[in-house]
């Protein structure tokens, strides 16, 4: 965004390069998130990061991003505090993605990469990774990365 304020030439390049606006974060102010979504192309792939330690910001962030969830290419979930129960939030995010896919009449979720980054002081084990075959939104998932988090695969 600061690039768009250097000169009119940089501004035109920045505003014309829709992919520059496709990184979304739950810690960003909602007005900024809304601006990024409107400046990105309607068919843009988004890269979303949800900080699970900012619990009060997750639901407003998901509400703000609801129209783009089916276009998320990468989803990174970060938590660093031991008392955050990851499972319920993962289930909520997955349900939002399924709802978004269904609402947009899409056959599957665009998500190709799921990254879970946990706190190194207390790794989590509380979430059961859903069976990919049983969850149509996962059909495009190619990469799973877990750091300080060990999901149960059954």
């Amino acid at each position: 965004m600061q690039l768009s304020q250097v000169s009119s030439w940089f501004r035109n390049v920045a505003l014309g390069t829709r992919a520059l606006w496709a990184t979304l974060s739950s810690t960003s102010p909602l007005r900024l998130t809304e601006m990024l979504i409107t400046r990105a192309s309607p068919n843009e792939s988004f890269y979303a990061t949800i900080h699970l330690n900012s619990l009060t910001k997750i639901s407003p962030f998901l509400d703000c991003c609801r129209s783009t969830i089916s276009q998320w290419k990468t989803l990174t979930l970060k938590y660093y505090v031991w008392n955050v129960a990851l499972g319920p939030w993962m289930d909520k995010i997955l349900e939002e993605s399924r709802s978004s896919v269904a609402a947009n009449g899409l056959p599957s979720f665009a998500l190709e990469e799921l990254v879970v980054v946990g706190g190194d002081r207390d790794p989590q084990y509380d979430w059961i990774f859903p069976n990919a075959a049983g969850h149509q939104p996962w059909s495009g998932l190619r990469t799973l990365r877990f750091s300080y988090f060990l999901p149960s695969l059954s």
Side-chain angles (χ1 to χ4, degrees), residues 3 12 54 62 117 133 136 145 148:
L3 185 64
N12 290 336
S54 302
L62 290 174
V117 179
Q136 187 64 25
R145 278 194 265 159
Y148 295 104

Side-chain angles (χ1 to χ4, degrees), residues 77-141:
L77 302 170
K78 293 183 176 185
Y79 69 95
Y80 297 104
V81 178
W82 62 268
N83 62 352
V84 173
L86 188 60
W89 287 107
M90 287 293 293
D91 292 339
K92 178 177 177 52
I93 292 164
L94 292 176
E95 183 53 39
E96 289 286 343
S97 69
R98 282 192 284 273
S99 297
S100 177
V101 166
N104 290 310
L106 301 171
S108 66
F109 192 24
L111 191 68
E112 293 180 6
E113 180 177 29
L114 175 63
V115 180
V116 179
V117 179
D120 60 356
R121 289 183 32 211
D122 188 25
Q124 294 255 340
Y125 308 95
D126 70 339
W127 181 59
I128 298 175
F129 191 77
N131 178 353
H135 289 31
Q136 187 64 25
W138 292 103
S139 64
L141 193 62

Side-chain angles (χ1 to χ4, degrees), residues 26 50-63 89 92-93:
S26 65
I50 297 177
H51 296 265
L52 296 172
N53 291 345
S54 302
L55 297 178
T56 58
K57 294 184 176 186
I58 296 173
S59 290
F61 175 75
L62 290 174
D63 290 341
W89 287 107
K92 178 177 177 52
I93 292 164

Side-chain angles (χ1 to χ4, degrees), residues 138-153:
W138 292 103
S139 64
L141 193 62
R142 290 175 174 73
T143 305
L144 288 172
R145 278 194 265 159
F146 297 100
S147 172
Y148 295 104
F149 178 79
L150 183 62
S152 173
L153 299 177

